[in-house]
């Protein structure tokens, strides 16, 4: 009969008890710690610890991280565990990217455990229950994402996508198809600029480019757009004078489109304008002003 070692975790995080299946390596470490802290009767001594978060004294418990001081056993505080951990790291000589000694906290090992577990196939919702998170997004935040994992995941996604799509979509296009593709972009050129509609789609605005949000106006056609706007103003005034109220409504939509295109042209022109900063100057040792590129005088 085989035995499965389980680690019982006292209520924390979500105030629920948890049972975690531990690996043989972790079981060996725990058994070593237990053998070191056992008393003469073979039991782990009960010690009283202080909960810094709840600000209360806990009842006596068989804590693994304890030490013998004087005639009694006392728990090793969190700060002491951090000091021992960093001291062990310093002895290894390992450094980070800035050549500084590595520093770990006990909480870092939770992240390492979750990262290793999920990358080796553990479902995220199972990992969530193991660490006691109420939200799975918190668990995924623990999981480190490496560039190699991202690249491999993207390649796998592309491979799955290609298997589900028709194979004829990946064939080499014919000369006629290629000419049709290039002709699409040539036909997108209009008087006021360029049409941004996607390949294989027709004009849904019945070639009313001034009203279309896909039109990218050409700054060189600004005067033409101004003329169209002024003409629309005159036509609106005429329609209002003659009582053509239906005509007024349509003309105002075109007028709003013309003003929007003018605003886009002016915005692009202001961003593209270059500012001449001139040549920098500085003073030589004698206090004379010298322009960059000029040879200083003795």
């Amino acid at each position: 009969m085989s035995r499965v070692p389980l680690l019982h975790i006292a209520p924390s995080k979500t105030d629920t008890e948890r049972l975690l299946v531990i690996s043989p390596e972790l079981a060996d470490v725990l058994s070593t710690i237990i053998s070191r802290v056992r008393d003469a009767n073979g039991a782990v001594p009960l010690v009283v610890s202080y909960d810094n978060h709840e600000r209360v004294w806990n009842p006596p418990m068989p804590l693994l991280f304890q030490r013998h001081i004087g005639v009694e056993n006392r728990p090793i505080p969190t700060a002491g565990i951090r000091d021992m951990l960093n001291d062990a790291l310093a002895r290894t000589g390992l450094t980070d990217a800035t050549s500084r000694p590595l520093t770990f906290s006990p909480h870092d090992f939770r992240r390492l455990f979750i990262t290793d577990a999920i990358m080796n196939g553990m479902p995220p919702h199972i990992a969530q229950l193991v660490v006691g998170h109420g939200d799975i997004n918190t668990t995924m935040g623990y999981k480190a994402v490496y560039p190699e994992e991202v690249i491999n995941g993207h390649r796998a996604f592309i491979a799955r996508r290609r298997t589900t799509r028709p194979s004829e979509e990946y064939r080499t296009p014919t000369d006629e198809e290629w000419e049709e593709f290039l002709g699409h972009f040539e036909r997108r050129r209009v008087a006021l600029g360029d049409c941004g509609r996607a390949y294989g789609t027709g004009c849904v605005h019945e070639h009313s480019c001034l009203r279309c949000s896909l039109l990218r106006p050409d700054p060189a056609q600004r005067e033409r757009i101004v003329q169209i706007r002024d003409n629309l103003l005159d036509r609106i005034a005429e329609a209002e004078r003659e009582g053509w109220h239906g005509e007024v409504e349509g003309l105002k939509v075109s007028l709003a489109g013309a003003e929007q295109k003018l605003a886009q042209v002016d915005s692009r022109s202001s961003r593209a304008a270059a500012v001449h900063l001139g040549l920098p100057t500085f003073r030589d040792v004698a206090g004379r002003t010298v322009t960059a590129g000029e040879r200083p005088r003795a």
Side-chain angles (χ1 to χ4, degrees):
M1 182 179 63
S2 61
R3 294 183 180 181
V4 178
L6 297 175
L7 178 63
H8 178 262
I9 303 176
S12 64
K13 293 284 185 180
T14 56
D15 293 330
T16 58
E17 296 182 340
R18 288 166 284 155
L19 288 177
L20 173 62
V21 179
I22 61 177
S23 63
E25 294 81 6
L26 180 57
D28 181 66
V29 172
L30 294 177
S31 63
T32 302
I33 296 177
I34 293 175
S35 63
R36 291 180 178 178
V37 299
R38 280 176 175 171
D39 56 17
N41 298 324
V44 176
L46 303 180
V47 294
V48 177
S49 61
Y50 182 74
D51 192 326
N52 293 319
H53 298 285
E54 300 293 338
R55 299 182 182 276
V56 295
W57 288 95
N58 295 320
M61 294 184 293
L63 299 179
L64 295 183
F65 292 101
Q66 60 175 277
R67 56 188 173 183
H68 192 75
I69 299 179
V71 295
E72 63 179 355
N73 287 357
R74 296 181 182 177
I76 302 176
T78 304
I81 296 176
R82 292 177 182 268
D83 292 340
M84 289 187 292
L85 179 60
N86 290 326
D87 181 65
L89 284 172
R91 293 175 183 271
T92 63
L94 298 176
T95 58
D96 58 14
T98 61
S99 300
R100 300 180 61 182
L102 288 179
T103 57
F104 276 8
S105 67
H107 199 267
D108 291 330
F109 290 95
R110 282 172 58 90
R111 296 180 178 271
L112 293 174
F113 172 78
I114 294 302
T115 298
D116 182 71
I118 295 180
M119 293 186 66
N120 283 278
M122 176 180 286
H125 66 283
I126 300 299
Q128 174 192 357
L129 298 177
V130 169
V131 294
H133 288 154
D135 186 0
I136 194 171
N137 293 320
T138 305
T139 308
M140 297 306 295
Y142 272 50
K143 175 183 171 295
V145 178
Y146 301 98
E148 181 181 0
E149 180 189 358
V150 175
I151 294 173
N152 293 336
H154 178 70
R155 289 176 176 174
F157 168 76
I158 294 297
R160 293 193 302 268
R161 183 182 178 88
R162 287 180 174 176
T163 57
T164 58
R165 296 181 68 88
S167 59
E168 57 268 15
E169 293 187 3
Y170 298 98
R171 61 177 174 81
T172 303
T174 63
D175 294 339
E176 293 76 11
E177 291 172 337
W178 185 246
E179 290 297 332
E180 170 63 22
F181 178 75
L182 296 179
H184 162 78
F185 297 97
E186 294 178 357
R187 290 189 296 271
R188 293 199 311 181
R189 182 65 180 172
V190 295
L192 299 180
D194 294 308
C195 178
R197 67 179 184 272
Y199 172 73
T201 60
C203 180
V204 297
H205 297 96
E206 298 180 354
H207 300 283
S208 180
C209 300
L210 198 63
R211 300 182 179 185
C212 182
S213 60
L214 297 179
L215 173 68
R216 184 176 177 84
D218 185 359
Q221 301 297 325
R222 188 182 189 282
E223 292 299 327
R224 186 186 185 95
I225 300 176
V226 171
Q227 294 176 3
I228 295 175
R229 181 199 60 185
D230 295 341
N231 179 264
L232 287 170
L233 290 173
D234 295 338
R235 292 178 60 186
I236 290 174
E238 178 187 8
E240 290 177 344
R241 184 172 59 254
E242 299 294 336
W244 302 332
H245 301 293
E247 189 76 11
V248 171
E249 183 178 356
L251 291 173
K252 286 185 177 180
V253 175
S254 297
L255 177 62
E259 292 177 343
Q260 182 183 15
K261 295 300 181 289
L262 284 175
Q264 292 179 9
V265 170
D266 295 339
S267 177
R268 291 177 58 187
S269 301
S270 62
R271 291 198 302 266
V275 179
H276 180 65
L277 300 178
L279 295 175
T281 60
F282 59 94
R283 295 185 180 277
D284 58 11
V285 293
R288 294 185 292 267
T289 302
V290 180
T291 303
E294 179 182 353
R295 186 175 181 178
R297 292 170 290 180

